Amino acid sequence: MSGRFDPSTADRRWQARWEEERSFAADSASNKPKTYVLEMFPYPSGRIHMGHVRNYTMGDVIARYRRMQGHEVLHPMGWDAFGMPAENAAMERKVHPGEWTRANINTMRDQLKRLGFALDWDRELATCDPSYYGHEQALFLDLFDAGLVYRKESEVNWDPVDMTVLANEQVIDGKGWRSGAPVERRKLAQWFLKITDFADDLLEALKKLDQWPEKVRVMQENWIGRSQGLQFRFELANSPPQIDGIEVFTTRPDTIFGSSFIAVAPDHPLALAAAETDPKAAAFIDECRSGGTSAAEIETAEKKGYRTPVEAVHPLDPEWRLPVYIANFVLMEYGTGAIFGVPGHDQRDFEFARQYHLPIKRVVAASTEVASEPIGDEAESMAGVAVNSRFLDGMTTEQATAEIIRRAEEAGWGHGTVQYRLRDWGVSRQRYWGTPIPIIHCPSCGAVPVPRDQLPVVLPDDIEFDKPGNPLDRHLTWKHVRCPSCGGLATRETDTLDTFVDSSWYFIRFASQPADKPFDRAEAETWLPVAQYIGGVEHAILHLLYARFWTRALQRLGELGVAEPFKGLFTQGMVTHETYRAGDGSWLSPDEVKRDGDDWVHIESGHPVTSGRVEKMSKSKRNTIDPEPILASYGADAVRWFMLSDSPPERDLEWSEGGIEGASRFVQRVWRLVNGNLEGASEDEALKRKLHRTVAAVGEAVDDLQFNKAVAQLYELVTAIEKAQPSATRAEAVRALILLIAPMAPHLAEESWALLGGGGLIANAPWPSFDPALLLDEQVTLAVQVNGKLRDTVTAPRGLDRAAAEALALASDKVQRQLAGASPRKVIVVPDRLVNIVA
RNA sequence: GCGGACGUGGCGGAACGGUAGACGCUGGGGACUUAAAAUCCUCUUCCCGUAAGGGAGUGCGGGUUCAAAUCCCGCCGUCCGCACCA
């Protein structure tokens, strides 16, 4: 066999072989060290895109590399198959969401197989399958029984276009994350999961996730948003009868004597009570609610308040009365929905106090000497020592904080506490295409769990999408059932679970999938935690936090002995492409334009085209490249190689024609080596060292997920082999090269391996080893510097002593010219590296 | 506003405090060919110089060091996340 490597036949041939031999089926009972490599499973939107290709190629390299290192590797794939696009398709094209989804899965599975990923297809799962979501319902009921699920009438974010409730996380700038429509507030009874029960655990454990990107840890930390402080109570004077006090939370109890007003949120019970008798208060509250919540609006929004007739009594001085305002900048959702204002030391309070001419008092200073210094143009929020604060004077911020909390607890008007930004997770969705919540509502028994032997609660297939809203709500025979508890007439919960629930445990089901329960604990624990999880940074908060919560909840229930699901996390960069616009501003796709010198023109019309910035591939900007035709013309290995080349994996990768061409060229170069002269009995010492260095470097790079560096190393090795004369070493180097590229370009590697008579599949071959003694050359190049500037390089035997190195350096003509007869004042020798002569 | 990441040739990017620009892409020159494709060789940070050689250079300004892209201080800029969180 010779000529060009032909991926169009080779790819399929090896893919069929792997499938036949079930090469990548993971054996849970294996004695080998176990490694679980997982990429975030895709939503079956229709076709694979370049982002998937990059993501799954990285995971595949790790999976294949670990296999070659003798690990039993679990590398599964499945489908995050519930969600709104399926319903949208159902409405637009009159197909059943399930039918649409399954067709997409078939297409995408086929595409993934053609990329040659080493996946265990035996464990494939789709979350829309009752054999998956039925177990999810069982787990939901486990959480329910453990008191981690509750139902609450609550104000929700209602998306008027998608006709569904959104989690806070799904509201971006006051708009629905998917529809982009402005979100409305509605009151609905919703199911919640008690993620806040785990807030501290989730926060604390972040510190130990040392194989996670710092960025993601910080994002989760901020999302959980832990604040420690004092919650305390103001008694009121002149208050509405139904309100008998205001609870406030502060992280700065030490500033309690700097307080000059109290402010409550427009939704606060006191504000609502005031509005009942005071039309002006009611009008003010309405005005606050109409205000936008976009970033720009918040930034420019003035601090506004409405002064109620109510007065608050300072807890440390019964004579001291503070005015009570309703204020637009106080949030009902955080803390107690009320604050005490300390204008001197909080910027928002400062702005508010200026607006309404309230006292701005200094109660914290750098030292007691500057206690009378007035506050300038800005609040001073930093710590210092307490001043003008009676018994606190002279204490540090820390001491004063502790002292106030102590007094409050002693006197009973407050207590030290912790507040979180994190809210409980609302999981109810008014959607058809999701996991039915296994609850039956009975007028006499209330919310009753569906008995376990009646699971799964299967979605009915005969539904209609001709009206907006949830079809389950209109499906009478599905909805109306008997109460499992009393046998009376009852109705099913027609809400389905947030799809983030589906993805909160799929990695456990991958590890173990018995038919009669969600997972087998012992089997799951042989694989978990996931050694390396790879996906987009867009899931840094929601998915990863929910999955962490779910795992911890199962641990608390005693169902799984794993606290953290993902030991290593890697967030890969996006695949980007230049954008193109026609004269009328419309976006053009890359295959509608061509280069004309330095400019771009529209192929069809010849009109000039402006090329815009390089951006994430997206349908709206039309700058996508479909992997399929690329795969057809270049083969899987070239595509995979390109995905790993050039850009560091955490950064964006710009798609380029040149890049894929280069990758394809590399595949052919390797093929030519394999088909070239591999005769020879002699040894090639230099090539041997190069080979061992490369084996070491590639392994190290892959261990660190620095695929671009591994690729560069392999290019160097290929060049070195090409230039070497035929020898036994050269033949050995070609054989090792094939092993080294096997995780990245597996089809080429198998084809080459077979040609070289490697025996068996290269997928099962051991990773090459290296001799550490061969990593260093006998001869080294010493840099010779004069005053830190490079002037010459000299070749020297490795391990040359200082005196000899110095002598060698000083013998250099160039050095002598620089010294111009002067004698060096000092000579620095770094063995085997450099000599620096200080003149 | 808070937090994070980053800033190196025409481009993507390499570089335990120790030869800046590995490797790839692009471009120039050449070989092979009737020709092209493919392939191979060679050059490609900038400036001066035919060359030998010299000078400058990792966003900007300082500092530490024999030696700084790398460490420290102060700026500037870009990207990302969160955001009236008490």
Side-chain angles (χ1 to χ4, degrees):
Chain A
M1 181 168 291
S2 65
R4 292 177 65 77
F5 175 71
D6 180 12
S8 67
T9 57
D11 285 6
R12 300 236 179 208
R13 193 162 59 246
W14 294 108
Q15 286 157 16
R17 253 313 267 295
W18 296 326
E19 190 146 340
E20 242 164 66
E21 303 202 7
R22 296 181 66 246
S23 298
F24 309 118
D27 177 7
S28 297
S30 167
N31 299 323
K32 295 181 192 170
K34 294 210 175 64
T35 299
Y36 188 172
V37 178
L38 183 67
E39 300 96 58
M40 293 180 185
F41 67 163
Y43 176 77
S45 56
R47 301 172 71 76
I48 293 295
H49 56 68
M50 280 297 175
H52 292 128
V53 178
R54 191 177 191 206
N55 190 172
Y56 301 146
T57 300
M58 289 178 191
D60 203 51
V61 170
I62 298 166
R64 287 176 177 271
Y65 171 65
R66 292 282 173 232
R67 273 180 55 80
M68 291 177 77
Q69 284 186 319
H71 291 220
E72 186 70 24
V73 172
L74 172 57
H75 187 216
M77 181 54 70
W79 312 96
D80 189 12
F82 274 136
M84 280 192 290
E87 289 191 42
N88 295 338
M91 285 183 265
E92 286 161 23
R93 300 177 219 180
K94 309 256 183 273
V95 288
H96 189 276
E99 207 180 294
W100 182 84
T101 302
R102 276 180 273 273
N104 288 346
I105 288 174
N106 288 334
T107 305
M108 292 170 76
R109 183 194 303 110
D110 184 52
Q111 291 184 306
L112 290 182
K113 285 190 175 180
R114 273 184 284 153
L115 279 154
F117 295 134
L119 292 164
D120 180 356
W121 287 105
D122 294 350
R123 294 178 189 242
E124 179 185 2
L125 60 82
T127 57
C128 64
D129 196 326
S131 68
Y132 181 82
Y133 69 68
H135 295 303
E136 183 167 310
Q137 290 167 337
L139 291 174
F140 178 86
L141 292 180
D142 291 346
L143 298 194
F144 183 90
D145 293 344
L148 292 172
V149 180
Y150 65 96
R151 190 165 164 83
K152 188 176 75 174
E153 177 85 13
S154 75
E155 199 163 68
V156 295
N157 305 300
W158 178 259
D159 187 317
V161 169
D162 284 335
M163 305 263 299
T164 190
V165 169
L166 301 173
N168 283 335
E169 298 89 319
Q170 294 169 339
V171 179
I172 294 143
D173 288 346
K175 292 179 182 130
W177 71 313
R178 206 176 267 283
S179 71
V183 168
E184 295 169 5
R185 293 178 184 177
R186 280 204 187 180
K187 283 235 170 188
L188 282 178
Q190 302 284 304
W191 290 103
F192 285 86
L193 301 188
K194 279 194 188 168
I195 190 171
T196 53
D197 254 32
F198 295 81
D200 248 337
D201 293 344
L202 291 168
L203 185 67
E204 276 305 302
L206 282 174
K207 293 183 191 130
K208 285 179 246 154
L209 291 174
D210 55 352
Q211 292 176 46
W212 278 41
E214 171 73 10
K215 178 191 169 106
V216 175
R217 284 190 292 176
V218 169
M219 280 164 77
Q220 292 214 352
E221 207 176 296
N222 293 341
W223 193 263
I224 295 168
R226 183 183 202 274
S227 310
Q228 196 151 10
L230 172 71
Q231 184 167 329
F232 68 101
R233 182 181 178 81
F234 284 98
E235 299 303 330
L236 300 177
N238 196 19
S239 68
Q242 64 271 45
I243 307 293
D244 66 343
I246 300 179
E247 287 279 331
V248 302
F249 173 75
T250 179
T251 55
R252 293 293 299 273
D254 63 299
T255 62
I256 196 162
F257 291 108
S259 171
S260 51
F261 65 94
I262 304 293
V264 301
D267 306 321
H268 192 274
L270 187 144
L272 300 176
E276 278 174 30
T277 54
D278 179 354
K280 282 191 193 160
F284 179 77
I285 291 167
D286 278 348
E287 190 192 324
C288 292
R289 282 181 180 161
S290 68
T293 49
S294 76
E297 280 170 299
I298 286 166
E299 229 163 81
T300 54
E302 258 181 74
K303 301 286 178 280
K304 282 187 197 159
Y306 176 79
R307 184 165 179 164
T308 68
V310 185
E311 287 188 322
V313 181
H314 197 286
L316 289 163
D317 183 348
E319 302 304 309
W320 190 352
R321 300 295 168 92
L322 296 162
V324 176
Y325 285 80
I326 303 168
N328 66 347
F329 68 95
V330 182
L331 306 174
M332 194 61 217
E333 307 88 66
Y334 187 76
T336 61
I339 61 154
F340 78 112
V342 183
H345 305 283
D346 180 282
Q347 187 58 26
R348 287 158 311 174
D349 298 348
F350 178 86
E351 287 168 31
F352 190 80
R354 278 213 164 165
Q355 186 90 0
Y356 296 100
H357 306 98
L358 296 161
I360 300 174
K361 191 173 150 188
R362 175 184 292 282
V363 289
V364 180
S367 73
T368 47
E369 281 96 76
V370 289
S372 55
E373 196 101 333
I375 300 289
D377 284 337
E378 265 182 8
E380 295 179 11
S381 55
M382 52 285 201
V385 292
V387 295
N388 308 317
S389 295
R390 309 189 188 182
F391 56 83
L392 297 177
D393 284 355
M395 291 187 192
T396 65
T397 296
E398 202 181 326
Q399 291 164 339
T401 299
E403 175 61 15
I404 291 294
I405 292 174
R406 191 188 65 76
R407 285 190 184 228
E409 287 176 349
E410 200 176 82
W413 50 268
H415 59 278
T417 188
V418 172
Q419 285 287 339
Y420 298 94
R421 209 189 80 109
L422 182 69
R423 311 281 84 190
D424 273 337
W425 177 15
V427 292
S428 298
R429 294 293 180 276
Q430 290 65 47
R431 284 275 139 190
Y432 165 75
W433 195 233
T435 300
I437 296 175
I439 296 285
I440 289 167
H441 296 287
C442 170
S444 35
C445 309
V448 181
V450 173
R452 306 284 175 144
D453 59 9
Q454 289 173 29
L455 295 182
V457 176
V458 179
L459 284 173
D461 268 334
D462 52 333
I463 37 94
E464 311 227 323
F465 282 96
D466 42 5
K467 302 184 195 103
N470 184 356
L472 291 178
D473 225 14
R474 303 191 295 265
H475 193 293
L476 302 181
T477 57
W478 188 82
K479 184 174 173 181
H480 295 279
V481 290
R482 291 277 167 183
C483 169
S485 177
C486 70
L489 291 174
T491 55
R492 279 192 197 284
E493 170 68 66
T494 58
D495 285 355
T496 51
L497 289 170
D498 181 2
T499 57
F500 278 113
V501 176
D502 308 336
S503 54
S504 289
W505 72 286
Y506 77 106
F507 45 89
I508 308 173
R509 181 74 188 169
F510 271 146
S512 168
Q513 33 195 233
D516 60 338
K517 53 184 176 179
F519 54 86
D520 175 78
R521 176 174 178 162
E523 189 186 19
E525 286 173 4
T526 62
W527 294 110
L528 288 165
V530 173
Q532 188 63 62
Y533 196 33
I534 309 180
V537 73
E538 67 272 18
H539 293 113
I541 297 174
L542 304 182
H543 162 56
L544 290 168
L545 194 61
Y546 293 150
R548 293 181 63 218
F549 154 68
W550 196 276
T551 305
R552 273 173 194 275
L554 292 178
Q555 186 192 36
R556 184 183 287 184
L557 268 53
E559 295 187 21
L560 188 66
V562 176
E564 285 293 333
F566 312 119
K567 188 166 190 290
L569 173 70
F570 188 82
T571 54
Q572 99 274 6
M574 299 178 297
V575 183
T576 61
H577 197 281
E578 204 170 28
T579 49
Y580 308 99
R581 291 188 110 146
D584 63 0
S586 63
W587 299 100
L588 295 170
S589 84
D591 44 54
E592 289 174 309
V593 299
K594 66 171 181 189
R595 261 218 118 88
D596 178 25
D598 284 345
D599 302 317
W600 291 90
V601 294
H602 188 218
I603 295 170
E604 215 181 286
S605 66
H607 291 315
V609 166
T610 43
S611 62
R613 30 181 283 173
V614 174
E615 292 191 66
K616 177 183 179 171
M617 288 187 179
S618 74
K619 281 182 191 158
S620 61
K621 304 254 165 82
R622 303 197 61 207
N623 61 337
T624 55
I625 300 287
D626 184 353
E628 196 154 320
I630 304 287
L631 195 54
S633 43
Y634 295 97
D637 291 335
V639 175
R640 295 167 58 114
W641 189 258
F642 178 49
M643 289 292 122
L644 301 167
S645 312
D646 294 349
S647 284
E650 68 278 10
R651 288 204 217 164
D652 291 351
L653 170 69
E654 189 184 349
W655 176 267
S656 75
E657 201 65 26
I660 184 70
E661 291 281 352
S664 177
R665 242 183 338 257
F666 177 78
V667 168
Q668 298 302 339
R669 266 175 89 186
V670 172
W671 185 241
R672 279 196 299 276
L673 279 185
V674 173
N675 285 277
N677 183 356
L678 297 177
E679 307 292 310
S682 60
E683 290 284 306
D684 182 336
E685 191 63 22
L687 183 62
K688 190 172 188 174
R689 286 176 189 277
K690 179 72 190 170
L691 174 62
H692 282 250
R693 269 204 302 269
T694 305
V695 172
V698 169
E700 202 178 311
V702 174
D703 279 332
D704 295 343
L705 295 102
Q706 298 176 318
F707 306 113
N708 58 319
K709 289 194 207 169
V711 163
Q713 287 292 332
L714 289 166
Y715 270 112
E716 283 197 47
L717 179 62
V718 166
T719 304
I721 297 173
E722 283 171 345
K723 291 199 191 308
Q725 295 301 311
S727 67
T729 312
R730 191 171 180 279
E732 180 197 318
V734 169
R735 191 184 161 91
L737 168 71
I738 298 310
L739 289 163
L740 293 175
I741 65 162
M744 303 168 184
H747 310 87
L748 170 67
E750 292 288 7
E751 191 85 1
S752 303
W753 192 246
L755 187 68
L756 297 179
L761 290 172
I762 199 169
N764 300 323
W767 185 254
S769 56
F770 61 89
D771 178 357
L774 292 174
L775 298 184
L776 299 168
D777 271 326
E778 290 299 301
Q779 296 285 313
V780 295
T781 305
L782 292 180
V784 180
Q785 299 179 334
V786 176
N787 294 329
K789 272 187 178 294
L790 182 73
R791 292 300 171 185
D792 201 2
T793 56
V794 295
T795 306
R798 188 157 58 83
L800 189 70
D801 67 53
R802 284 167 183 277
E806 183 175 333
L808 197 59
L810 285 169
S812 159
D813 289 348
K814 291 169 185 169
V815 169
Q816 286 308 321
R817 215 177 306 149
Q818 286 294 326
L819 290 175
S823 57
R825 285 194 299 152
K826 192 175 169 186
V827 178
I828 311 262
V829 179
V830 181
D832 295 334
R833 288 216 87 116
L834 64 69
V835 180
N836 186 15
I837 296 154
V838 185

